[in-house]
Every structure is written in C-alpha cells, then in structure tokens.
Amino acid sequence: MTLPAHGSERFDLWAPEAESVALLADGRQYPMSRIAGGSREASGDGSREASGDGDAGWWRAVGAPASGEVDYGYLLDGDTTPLPDPRSRRQPEGVHSLSRTFDAGSHGWADGPWTGRELKGAVIYELHLGTFTPEGTLDSAAGKLGYLAELGVDFVELLPVNGFNGTHNWGYDGVLWYAVHEGYGGPAAYQRFVDAAHAAGLGVIQDVVYNHLGPSGNYLPRFGPYLKSGEGNTWGDSVNLDGPGSDVVRQYILDNAAMWLRDYHVDGLRLDAVHAFKDERAVHLLEEFGALADAVAAETGRPATMIAESDLNNPRLLYPRGVNGYGLAGQWSDDFHHAVHVNVSGETNGYYGDFDSLGALAKVLANGFFHDGSYSTFRGRHHGRPIDASLVHPAALVVCSQNHDQIGNRATGDRLSQSLGYGQLALAAVATLTSPFTPMLFMGEEYGATTPWQFFTSHPEPDLGKATAEGRIKEFERMGWDPAVVPDPQDPETFTRSKLDWSEAAAGDHARLLELYRALIALRRSTPELAGLGFEDTAVDFSEAEGWLLLRRGPTEVAMNFSAEPRRLGVGVASIALATDDGVRLGGVLGDTRQLELPGHSAAILSK
C-alpha cells in the first residue's frame, strides 16, 4: 500500500536534464540537490522512484514542509514561473498552476466487506462524468449508483478523470495523469465515489491514457525524456517506453496504475489504445501491467482487472504470461460492434464495409474476432490472427453495440436510438447481452437516449480551439460524412447537448427498452451458460437470405430476426424465456425441431 508522507522526500523530483532545480512551496523557495539512487520513496503525493542503475537525475529539497497541505511547484534552471508536479494529485487552479498535496491515506474507507468482482459473468456500464448528470460531478454520479445497481450491471467504467486544460473534455487530453480533475470534485470526491459504488455492489473500472498527452499543459518534456520526439502516433509524440531514460518513464506509468488500484481502491483499469504503444523492449509494458494486476490482487485479496483497448486483434494480449502472453484480463473487441451495427442499421461506409453480412456477425460470435488473419479492405491488408480457444475464455472480450468512441466519433455524435426504432434497438441489446463475451453498455443506451454524445473540448487557447475544430472536420473525410454537419467542439452547446436527459427513461418505448435491458441482464445472471461457457460450447446458424441468426449456448438458444419481414425457423428447445415482441410464437413440432415465429426486427431467448 502507499506509504504515509514521512518528510520532505514527498517532493522528490526526477529531472535528469536540469542544471538546477528549486521547489516553491507555500510561497517559499527551497533549493534542491541531486540525490543518489538506491531507495524507493513513496507518499500520499505519489510514489517517488530512485532505484539506481541508470535512474540518475533525482532531486530533493531538504527542509521542505514535511507534512500538511502545501501548494507547490518547481523552478527549473532559473525559471521564474513554477511548473506543476508530474505526479501532482491536485490542481485546484488548473494544469498550468501550482500543485497541491493530497494525503490519499486520510480517507476512512468503508468498503472492507467488498471482495471485488471478476470480469467473467459481469456487465459493464461506461459513463462520462461531465455528461452523466446535470451537475457533472463524482458526487452527483454517486447519486445514480442505486439506479445502476437496479439495472443489474456489475461494473461502472469511468472515462478518464485525469487533469486536463479547460472545464470540460472527453478526458483523453489529459496532461497530469495522477490528478483528478477539479471540476469533477477532485481526489477526495473520487474516493467517496468508489466507496459508494462498492457499498452498492458495483465495481469501478477507470479508463487511463498512457499512449499520449494532451496539447495544453504538458510540461513533462521540461523535466525529462518522457516523450520520443519524431516517433509519433495519431495524437502526437509517443511516450518513451524503450529509449534512454525509459526505465523511469515506465515506472512513472506503472506507479500511476498502482495508485488507482491501491489509493483509490478501483477494481480495474481500461488501458486506452494500447496499439499506439511503441515498445520494442523484451518485456512489453502490457506484460508489466498484467504482472502488476496479479501483484495487487495478491496484496489486497480482490481481483485487479486490466482491460486493453486494442485495434490489433492479437490474442497474445490475453494469453497467460507463462505461454509468452501479456496476461491481461480482457480487451475490447471492435469487430463485434461493427458486425452488430451493420446488421441493425444497414450502414456500410468506411470500416463497416467488411461487416456487411450476417455471416460476419456469426463469425464473431463463434470465434471472437472477424479479422483473424482475413483481408481488411479498410486497412488495405490482412489483419489479426485466430484466438486459441484453449487459452482464452470468451468473457475476455469486452463488447458493445454502442460506446463513447463509436458514437462520439460520428459526425454528429448520433446514437442508434436517433435513427432506429424499438425493434432494432432491442435486437442490438439481445445480441450484446446474450453474446458469449462481456457486455458493456454506454450511458443512456439502456433507455434509448435521444441526446447525442458529441466531441467537445474547452481549450482556453483560441488557436488550439480553432485547430481542434478544423482537424475534427478532416477526420470525417474517409468515412464519407458531410463536414458541414460536424458541430464545433469548442461551442459550449456541444457539451450541453451531450448531457443525458433522464426524464426520457420513464416514457413510451424508452421505458419499454429499459425494462428489456433489466430483464436481459437478470436473465444473463440466472442463466449460467450465457456467460459461463467457452468457445467450444458456442454454435451459430444463420440465413443470409432471410436475415435470421440462431445462437446456441449449451441448452439455451437465442433467435434473432434482423429482417423487417416475419420469419420462421426451427429451434430445439421447448419454451420462451424472453421475447422482444408480443408476436413471437413457438409453434408445433416439425421433425426434430419446433417452429419459432419471429416478427420483423425481433428476438427471443429459448430454454429447455
């Protein structure tokens, strides 16, 4: 666990390229001196690593305030403007201002009875704090935990909460990974939220971003070689994972991951876009994440779940470390989303083109990946590799029919519910919640929210705001969307429009859909084979011409009619456990099967 603050070591700083460093604390300057490696210093302000063997460049301010709340910053090489701490836990005045100490050990945790939650058999609910409630805070989100528990989900996954410039943002422009955004309530509110979630029987997964830093307030390059100039990814310079100085940079990342798991008691981390990691070291950073999760689980007695967002379709992420895998608990599977989206919406532009068939969905349900070495027309090359079913349980793949990326990265941020009717939304729900995988819902999906979820920023710098808006328009050219309809991410109304309207949940088809989601989640929980069986116990039949698909999970069968016309198909079970339409009928026996009648855009779950 994190050690208590025990002296001025809590301000230790790694700045290997600086000639001189001074600490500014509570308005007073303290000269800092280089220190030798050889010991690990940790405090409520974040671990301070000085292990020797190439880790030179650590500085200490002897005599600096040894306890209490302190506003502080660092002056490098005679600068007169202090920089915030790379490991800052609080930024009360924003990411360009002084840091403030925070004693993570001062919270009186009440979650002793909480034993944690495994990914297998769980349902995840993804939310963005700023738009989940009108207030947009951790404390207001805690007020909705009872609703989520009643819905039946097992994990709440928070989009990034780390420090970013401005008042509102998706969270992926963070520059201070150890800080909790003050607009959400800061670190103390975060601890209260996790405590409340555990009291409600919900685990917490935190989305973290280690592949890039935001464009405003990133002072890490001033301190040391945190980035690799000229080796960029989609968002800018890559994080230095394998160059000179990367030992400390990697430890900086791993310490941050450990902070969430230990100091904030979160149950797991969602690792953003790990395909953007540039790491040529023999032991990949992802393998170190897997080892960290195991170590924390052994220490706390609670599962620590690492889930990667990966575009690689590489099952090595999920294979055990003992067979040269990375040992992660899970990864997102975009193939499932694309296959469901195409079959309920008919949209086939851009990367959806490869999934323009019911056969694509059938392949994903049976094998996990669609691109398992197959040719990707969007990429212009072959992509992925097959999953070894003896090494991976289907629950390791986290799937969805909607999420923040797939909605927010559309031109207008429109949800499926803004263009599809109840029947198609119900089909998407059934496909997701009866799949062999771990389902994830995006906030508001469960009642068919009609509010969009758009890309929004609040960069105070006019030039950066303009560049962001222009870059956003260019992103949509390949998908064929009209740039004229793309909202300005800097317009405050873009953020306001994206807030959920909770009054919708009680009316008409919204309420009907909400009841379906509750029933599906309850049925998933009471039907062990839906979530518990492996790939070898999954079978899929389908008719491309007629538009129906039949998923068999042990003795349970899930029949889905993606056609607008009624269909009849043979099933081998005797009763309907759940149907999305009152017109579903189970007829007489024909040979070894019974005849199931499905109205257009409907589904049924059947059991013996």
Side-chain angles (χ1 to χ4, degrees):
M1 301 297 289
T2 297
L3 302 175
H6 60 280
S8 58
E9 296 91 343
R10 62 181 177 156
F11 299 110
D12 284 0
L13 176 72
W14 186 62
E17 297 171 2
E19 295 296 327
S20 66
V21 183
L23 170 72
L24 180 68
D26 280 347
R28 178 183 170 187
Q29 283 195 33
Y30 296 86
M32 302 187 75
S33 303
R34 292 185 183 273
I35 57 175
S39 66
R40 177 187 179 89
E41 306 295 350
S43 75
D45 300 297
S47 298
R48 310 283 165 156
E49 180 72 13
S51 61
D53 296 332
D55 287 348
W58 284 85
W59 300 74
R60 176 170 297 166
V62 177
S67 61
E69 188 175 89
V70 177
D71 287 349
Y72 68 103
Y74 298 97
L75 300 167
L76 304 183
D77 296 327
D79 285 352
T80 57
T81 301
L83 302 178
D85 184 1
R87 294 173 180 255
S88 170
R89 293 293 186 96
R90 284 197 66 189
Q91 292 295 128
E93 304 300 326
V95 298
H96 294 288
S97 300
L98 291 175
S99 302
R100 181 174 295 173
T101 56
F102 174 74
D103 182 5
S106 64
H107 180 74
W109 288 96
D111 65 349
W114 174 250
T115 57
R117 184 73 171 83
E118 296 280 358
L119 190 62
K120 184 178 178 181
V123 177
I124 302 171
Y125 188 94
E126 184 190 36
L127 66 88
H128 173 264
L129 284 166
T131 51
F132 183 58
T133 63
E135 300 85 357
T137 65
L138 284 153
D139 287 335
S140 62
K144 301 292 290 185
L145 291 172
Y147 163 86
L148 295 179
E150 183 184 2
L151 178 61
V153 302
D154 302 283
F155 285 107
V156 178
E157 181 173 317
L158 303 180
L159 266 65
V161 300
N162 51 195
F164 58 83
N165 195 26
T167 58
H168 54 269
N169 192 290
W170 276 18
Y172 298 93
D173 282 335
V175 290
L176 288 171
W177 293 345
Y178 285 72
V180 176
H181 177 56
E182 286 291 310
Y184 295 152
Y190 194 97
Q191 290 177 317
R192 292 194 298 270
F193 177 86
V194 175
D195 236 347
H198 289 169
L202 301 171
V204 177
I205 297 171
Q206 181 57 59
D207 193 341
V208 289
V209 184
Y210 299 132
N211 52 58
H212 75 285
L213 289 107
S216 180
N218 173 22
Y219 295 108
L220 289 184
R222 289 290 314 279
F223 291 97
Y226 283 90
L227 302 179
K228 296 180 73 173
S229 180
E231 294 191 22
N233 53 41
T234 304
W235 306 281
D237 288 340
S238 295
V239 177
N240 176 21
L241 301 180
D242 55 9
S246 60
D247 286 355
V248 182
V249 176
R250 291 166 75 101
Q251 193 62 51
Y252 175 78
I253 293 171
L254 293 167
D255 285 347
N256 181 259
M259 176 197 78
W260 295 111
L261 297 169
R262 291 175 172 139
D263 293 354
Y264 293 110
H265 288 206
V266 305
D267 301 276
L269 301 177
R270 182 262 191 187
L271 308 171
D272 180 67
V274 301
H275 48 268
F277 288 170
K278 294 184 180 297
D279 184 5
E280 297 296 329
R281 290 171 64 150
V283 179
H284 196 280
L285 181 64
L286 289 175
E287 185 176 346
E288 295 196 76
F289 279 125
L292 173 64
D294 289 347
V296 172
E299 174 187 315
T300 63
R302 300 171 176 172
T305 300
M306 294 288 183
I307 303 170
E309 182 203 12
S310 174
D311 186 43
L312 302 174
N313 281 22
N314 183 357
R316 184 181 181 188
L317 276 66
L318 306 174
Y319 291 165
R321 295 196 304 282
V323 293
N324 203 32
Y326 294 154
L328 302 182
Q331 75 143 89
W332 279 25
S333 174
D334 282 348
D335 285 4
F336 179 90
H337 168 270
H338 300 345
V340 171
H341 183 93
V342 170
N343 280 285
V344 298
S345 72
E347 183 178 349
T348 59
N349 58 327
Y351 50 69
Y352 291 130
D354 287 338
F355 299 85
D356 186 17
S357 69
L358 204 54
L361 178 57
K363 180 180 179 180
V364 171
L365 289 168
N367 302 324
F369 292 151
F370 176 75
H371 284 307
D372 54 3
S374 62
Y375 186 79
S376 165
T377 59
F378 184 72
R379 296 176 179 86
R381 60 171 176 80
H382 289 77
H383 184 67
R385 69 183 303 168
I387 294 173
D388 184 339
S390 69
L391 297 176
V392 175
H393 191 276
L397 297 179
V398 176
V399 302
C400 65
S401 63
Q402 301 182 74
N403 64 36
H404 77 275
D405 268 332
Q406 300 299 340
I407 299 171
N409 284 326
R410 295 174 65 82
T412 61
D414 54 309
R415 299 169 179 260
L416 288 176
S417 49
Q418 293 173 261
S419 57
L420 303 182
Y422 168 82
Q424 292 152 301
L425 296 176
L427 271 172
V430 170
T432 304
L433 287 164
T434 64
S435 77
F437 316 118
T438 295
M440 185 181 74
L441 316 180
F442 182 64
M443 60 177 196
E445 169 191 333
E446 72 279 8
Y447 65 82
T450 61
T451 49
W453 203 74
Q454 299 175 330
F455 180 68
F456 45 80
T457 55
S458 57
H459 299 304
E461 304 91 340
D463 289 347
L464 179 56
K466 182 174 182 291
T468 300
E470 292 174 348
R472 188 70 177 168
I473 291 173
K474 291 180 181 178
E475 286 181 19
F476 295 116
E477 292 178 352
R478 192 173 181 189
M479 293 296 290
W481 285 320
D482 181 3
V485 302
V486 179
D488 181 358
Q490 285 286 108
D491 184 348
E493 284 301 308
T494 304
F495 172 61
T496 302
R497 278 193 301 270
S498 299
K499 287 179 176 282
L500 287 177
D501 177 4
W502 285 98
S503 67
E504 290 186 319
D509 279 347
H510 296 293
R512 183 184 178 195
L513 189 63
L514 178 57
E515 285 307 308
L516 174 65
Y517 269 86
R518 286 173 175 156
L520 282 168
I521 295 171
L523 185 63
R524 182 180 179 86
R525 182 167 291 168
S526 64
T527 310
E529 58 264 23
L530 284 177
L533 297 179
F535 283 111
E536 67 278 5
D537 297 303
T538 300
V540 187
D541 292 327
F542 67 97
S543 170
E544 200 74 64
E546 295 192 352
W548 59 260
L549 182 147
L550 185 64
L551 168 68
R552 295 187 178 92
R553 295 282 288 160
T556 297
E557 297 185 355
V558 183
M560 293 172 269
N561 179 12
F562 291 89
S563 167
E565 301 300 321
R567 299 300 184 201
R568 177 178 292 183
L569 61 150
V571 296
V573 290
S575 62
I576 299 173
L578 184 150
T580 64
D581 190 291
D582 293 339
V584 174
R585 295 285 185 271
L586 194 57
V589 177
L590 181 64
D592 295 329
T593 64
R594 298 190 68 181
Q595 298 303 295
L596 178 70
E597 297 180 9
L598 288 173
H601 295 150
S602 70
I605 303 171
L606 307 107
S607 60
K608 289 185 177 179

